[in-house]
Amino acid sequence: MAKIFRLKQFEIRQEDSVLKVGTDGMLLGGYIAHHFQARQPKAVLDVGTGTGIIALMLAQAFPATHITGIELDKASAKEASYNASQSPFADRVTILEQDYRTYRSATQYDLILSNPPYYTPTHQNSDQRETIAKHSVSLSPNQFFATSLHHLPPQGQIATILATTAQSDYLKAANEYDIHPQHHLYIQTTQNKPPKRVLTLWSQELTPYTTSHLTILAGAGTHNYTPEYTQLLRPYLTIL
């Protein structure tokens, strides 16, 4: 994995971050940037910001928006802060080393988004930082939604990207806090494979939800991406 991930308008240093730039985060950032383009939020909270990639993607897409990124891991938070400071959006991106479970702020965020730790631990991982980043030992679905309600106005929205195997846990937890899915985007690598990720928009408003699908690869071959995937990430990736 390259220590520097270069995008069209900024770079991500990922030497010390526990989790590197990945497809999940890129898709969440790209989808949210596209979905909210016509009604851009004023304040966004990125929970578990990692390298800061999603926060910076949204800063690029929303020129008047302030984005706050929260990261529990000390080294990752430090690197995300560096990435933000070196970007063209340094005045609109704030990175905090913070446990989201205890985070309190006077700010109300129009949008809270996260690529959260959703795996259920089945064995002891020798890498404690990776265990915390990937598994729900430090932030359960209930804790995520409970804390989010402290910072979400009635008309605010939440966005998550999860493994489809974790979807039921988040649906159950959200329901306990009267948070409801508005849209499920199921993501599959190729057309003939079942979706392994689901991107969900949530709100406190109870309405019938909608569903759509996104396929990443159109076929065999390097970078043979579908038009839908290309549309979402072309503003950012140098290979598109």
Side-chain angles (χ1 to χ4, degrees), residues 40-73:
Q40 299 181 10
K42 294 181 179 179
V44 174
L45 182 63
D46 177 21
V47 180
T49 195
T51 62
I53 178 70
I54 298 174
L56 292 174
M57 288 174 70
L58 297 187
Q60 175 183 323
F62 305 147
T65 300
H66 189 276
I67 298 96
T68 300
I70 289 182
E71 176 54 52
L72 178 63
D73 182 73

Side-chain angles (χ1 to χ4, degrees), residues 8-48:
K8 289 181 177 177
Q9 293 193 28
F10 59 92
E11 295 182 349
I12 293 293
R13 189 173 73 180
Q14 51 181 355
E15 184 174 356
D16 299 320
S17 297
V18 61
L19 297 181
K20 314 306 180 186
V21 174
T23 303
D24 289 2
M26 293 291 297
L27 278 172
L28 180 58
Y31 177 83
I32 292 302
H34 178 76
H35 182 79
F36 288 92
Q37 194 58 51
R39 47 190 177 94
Q40 299 181 10
K42 294 181 179 179
V44 174
L45 182 63
D46 177 21
V47 180

